[in-house]
Amino acid sequence: MLTIAFALVFFYAPNDADQGFIFKIFYVHVPMAIVALFGFVAGAVFAALHLRSQDSKWDMRSYVTIHISVILAVGVLVTGSIWARASWGHWWIWDEPMLVSFLIVFLLYATYWPLRFSIEDKEKQSRYASVFAIVAGAFVPLNFAAVRMAESFTHPQTATTTTSAPPSVTLTFLVALAGMTLLFITLCKYEMASKHATFRLRALRRRLAGDEDELALNGRSAAPQL
Amino acid sequence: MRSTVAALLSKELTLEWRTRESVPAMVLFSIATYVVFHFGLDRDRVTGDLASGVLWVTLLFAAILGVNRLFVAEYEQGGFDGFLLAPVDRTALLVAKALTLFLFLCIVEVVAVPAFALLLLGPPLTQALPELVLVLLLANAGIAVLGTLVAGLAIQTRARDLIVPLIALPLLVPVLLAAARCATPLLQDGGAGALPADWLAILAIYDLLFALIAYAVFDFLLED
C-alpha cells in the first residue's frame, strides 16, 4: 500500500515540469486540502457509527482520521501561504474564501484534543468526542458554502481551476489527488497499527508491573482505548 | 413534550429570576465592551460596517458568557440525574435550554442595543428598527441552538470555560458573518439601506440545519 502511494506521489513530479515552477505547489496543496476535508467528513461518519454501535473500534478510526487530517491541514495552510506569497505577494489574503474557511475549520478541529484531554472518564470521553466530530464534520461543508457565498457576492469567480486547464494538468492533478488519498489511507493504517501495538505493549507491561501505578506507567493519553 | 418543555423553561426562568446570575452579567459585560471598543478604536461614534461589527462581536462574546453558565446548575446540583430519571423525552431538555438561552439573549439585547445606540452608534437606531429586530432574532436563534449544543458538549470537561469559546467561536463564525452583513446597511449614515435578503436566507438556513444536527446528537450527551 505504501509503495503504491509513494510511487504515485513521486510519479507526478516529472509530469508537471513543463509548468511554471511555483504552480507545482498546486499539485500538493489542492489534493492535500481536498483529502483533509474528506478526512474530516469521514471522521464524522466513523463517529456516527461509533455512537450507533458503541464499538470503540469506530472511535479509534474517527480519532485517527481526524488526527491525520489535522496534520494535513497544517500542511495545507503552510503550502497555501507559500503559494499566496508567490502568486499574490502576500502571506495571507483575507479575500480568498478558501484560505479563510480552511483556517476556521482548522481552528475548530484544533479543539478536538483539549476536549478529549479534559474529560476523565474514558467512555464519556469517546462519546463526547464523537458528538464533537459529527457536529464539526457537518460544519465543514456548511462553512465552506457560507464563506464562498460571502465572496461570490463581491466578485464572482469560477468554481474550479480544472475546467479551463489543459488535459495534462487535469491528469496530473487527478493522479496527485489519488496519490494523496492513498497516502492518507496508508498513514491512517500505520497510525492504527502503531496505536494497537502501543496498547498491547502497555497491557504486557501492566501485567509485568503487577497492575500498580497504572497512570504513572502510561502517562496521560487522550487516545481511545481498545 | 410540550408540558415538559414548559416546566423546564419555567424552572430556568425562576432560577434566573431568583439568583440573577447570567443576564445581569451579560448586560454589564456588553456595556463594558462598548467602553473598551470606544477606547480601543478611539472613536466617539461608529457607523455602517464598523458599527455592525462592534455590535455583533460584543453580543457574541456576551452570549459566550451565557453559554458557559447554561448547564452549570444541572451539573453541580445533580439536575442531570433527576432529568434522566424522569420519564420524559430527552429532546425536551435541548428545546428548553435553547429557548432559555434565546430568551436571555433577547433580554440582554433589549438593554444592550439601546445602550449601543446611546454610547457609540452614529445614525439613529429608529431608522431601521423592525429589520434590525428581525436580524437579531434570527441570529439569537442560531446562537441559542449552537450554544446549547456546545454547552452540553463541554459541561463534563475540566476546563469548561476554555473549551466553550474554543469550540463555539469557529462554529458561530458563519452566524456572525451573516448577521454582521445583514446589519451593515441598517446602521449606515444617512438613511438605512435595504436588508440583504440573501444573507438573511443564509442565516435562516444555518439556524435550521444546526437545529436538526443538535436534535440528532443531543441525546448522546445525556446518556449515563
Side-chain angles (χ1 to χ4, degrees):
Chain A
M1 197 60 150
L2 186 71
T3 42
I4 299 167
F6 272 123
L8 280 168
V9 168
F10 282 118
F11 176 58
Y12 72 74
N15 218 351
D16 63 30
D18 56 336
Q19 306 291 322
F21 176 70
I22 196 61
F23 193 63
K24 271 188 183 179
I25 206 167
F26 168 82
Y27 299 114
V28 182
H29 173 73
V30 179
M32 218 190 231
I34 293 174
V35 170
L37 292 177
F38 274 98
F40 288 140
V41 175
V45 174
F46 291 150
L49 285 170
H50 167 246
L51 285 182
R52 177 155 292 203
S53 68
Q54 302 293 329
D55 188 347
S56 65
K57 176 182 80 184
W58 291 111
D59 185 37
M60 177 66 123
R61 284 183 188 165
S62 169
Y63 176 83
V64 169
T65 31
I66 290 177
H67 189 127
I68 305 288
S69 297
V70 168
I71 294 172
L72 284 186
V74 175
V76 170
L77 286 172
V78 169
T79 52
S81 208
I82 293 170
W83 193 16
R85 174 81 180 112
S87 59
W88 300 319
H90 294 285
W91 292 107
W92 188 256
I93 304 265
W94 279 109
D95 292 345
E96 190 56 36
M98 281 300 172
L99 279 180
V100 179
S101 37
F102 211 91
L103 180 68
I104 297 170
V105 167
F106 171 72
L107 285 176
L108 179 64
Y109 272 99
T111 53
Y112 185 69
W113 284 273
L115 180 71
R116 284 201 88 112
F117 265 112
S118 63
I119 300 177
E120 297 282 352
D121 183 43
K122 284 288 168 204
E123 193 222 341
K124 260 184 194 160
Q125 186 190 61
S126 53
R127 208 171 54 226
Y128 278 62
S130 293
V131 171
F132 173 83
I134 292 173
V135 174
F139 171 74
V140 168
L142 286 177
N143 174 54
F144 268 84
V147 180
R148 183 175 273 275
M149 268 186 241
E151 289 310 311
S152 62
F153 290 141
T154 47
H155 46 89
Q157 53 187 356
T158 50
T160 52
T161 340
T162 41
T163 44
S164 59
S168 70
V169 174
T170 316
L171 178 71
T172 319
F173 174 71
L174 288 178
V175 173
L177 184 61
M180 193 57 80
T181 314
L182 288 179
L183 180 68
F184 178 79
I185 295 169
T186 317
L187 279 175
C188 283
K189 279 197 188 291
Y190 266 94
E191 177 75 14
M192 299 257 261
S194 131
K195 284 262 187 286
H196 275 289
T198 315
F199 288 134
R200 291 258 298 284
L201 184 65
R202 268 185 203 159
L204 289 173
R205 259 199 208 151
R206 206 176 302 147
R207 206 178 295 162
L208 277 177
D211 251 343
E212 59 192 73
D213 218 11
E214 193 191 328
L215 194 70
L217 205 61
N218 295 340
R220 286 270 294 135
S221 166
Q225 311 255 308
L226 289 180
Chain B
M1 170 81 181
R2 191 168 294 171
S3 62
T4 320
V5 172
L8 284 169
L9 191 61
S10 74
K11 181 217 91 179
E12 293 293 331
L13 295 179
T14 317
L15 198 65
E16 179 62 25
W17 180 249
R18 291 195 182 151
T19 59
R20 294 190 189 84
E21 210 168 42
S22 298
V23 174
M26 287 156 82
V27 171
L28 281 178
F29 178 83
S30 17
I31 293 172
T33 312
Y34 296 146
V35 177
V36 169
F37 267 120
H38 163 71
F39 288 114
L41 297 169
D42 200 16
R43 299 250 187 131
D44 291 341
R45 58 195 293 280
V46 291
T47 57
D49 52 355
L50 189 59
S52 169
V54 168
L55 179 66
W56 280 111
V57 169
T58 305
L59 291 180
L60 191 64
F61 285 156
I64 298 279
L65 287 187
V67 172
N68 258 333
R69 305 291 311 163
L70 197 60
F71 283 107
V72 169
E74 264 79 5
Y75 182 65
E76 284 174 355
Q77 317 284 339
F80 281 128
D81 299 334
F83 180 75
L84 286 177
L85 286 174
V88 290
D89 192 357
R90 285 169 189 175
T91 315
L93 189 63
L94 169 72
V95 178
K97 283 289 181 183
L99 279 176
T100 311
L101 191 57
F102 181 77
L103 284 177
F104 283 4
L105 285 169
C106 289
I107 298 166
V108 167
E109 279 153 11
V110 164
V111 185
V113 173
F116 176 66
L118 191 74
L119 291 172
L120 280 176
L121 188 63
L125 190 64
T126 43
Q127 67 180 0
L129 199 54
E131 288 95 331
L132 190 62
V133 169
L134 179 66
V135 177
L136 282 170
L137 286 178
L138 274 179
N140 284 355
I143 296 175
V145 167
L146 273 167
T148 311
L149 193 57
V150 172
L153 200 59
I155 190 64
Q156 303 285 352
T157 63
R158 269 180 289 116
R160 189 176 56 236
D161 303 346
L162 295 177
I163 297 280
V164 164
L166 278 180
I167 301 179
L169 286 182
L171 284 175
L172 285 171
V173 162
V175 174
L176 176 79
L177 179 78
R181 296 286 171 106
C182 279
T184 299
L186 305 178
L187 303 174
Q188 261 167 358
D189 247 341
L195 191 66
D198 32 18
W199 282 110
L200 213 57
I202 291 176
L203 195 54
I205 292 169
Y206 197 78
D207 289 0
L208 193 68
L209 282 174
F210 266 97
L212 290 176
I213 293 169
Y215 173 71
V217 297
F218 191 76
D219 282 8
F220 294 105
L221 295 177
L222 288 179
E223 255 171 53
D224 226 71

